[in-house]
Amino acid sequence: INVVAKDVREVSKALIDKLFEQDGGDVLSIYYGADVDEDSANELMEYVEQKYPDCESVVMNGGQPLYYYIISLE
């Protein structure tokens, strides 16, 4: 466990920041799950675009039943 928070959005943002700090990358993919609406996923993408403007970001509906997000940084 790398990040702990009470709010899914805040913990997702903190995890993304941690990914960039540790590994860096050029492409961030966000797959949102069955319990996340598209607007929330797009809000997370907007955060990435504002904070990391040189990174290409993509949001896709993964439909996974267990995880809110699967996030990949390459």
Side-chain angles (χ1 to χ4, degrees):
I1 297 175
N2 289 317
V3 180
V4 177
K6 292 182 180 184
D7 181 72
V8 173
R9 287 177 295 204
E10 294 307 313
V11 77
S12 298
K13 291 175 184 178
L15 180 60
I16 288 169
D17 291 340
K18 195 167 193 94
L19 285 171
F20 275 101
E21 288 171 13
Q22 292 177 348
D23 302 323
D26 299 321
V27 179
L28 183 87
S29 300
I30 301 170
Y31 300 89
Y32 63 95
D35 293 333
V36 177
D37 61 60
E38 186 176 4
D39 290 338
S40 295
N42 285 330
E43 179 183 310
L44 188 57
M45 184 182 71
E46 289 172 9
Y47 169 80
V48 173
E49 290 174 340
Q50 289 177 3
K51 189 156 186 184
Y52 306 101
D54 294 334
C55 181
E56 181 181 335
S57 56
V58 179
V59 171
M60 292 170 271
N61 183 348
Q64 61 271 16
L66 182 58
Y67 301 107
Y68 294 108
Y69 295 103
I70 295 175
I71 301 170
S72 170
L73 179 60
E74 302 173 47

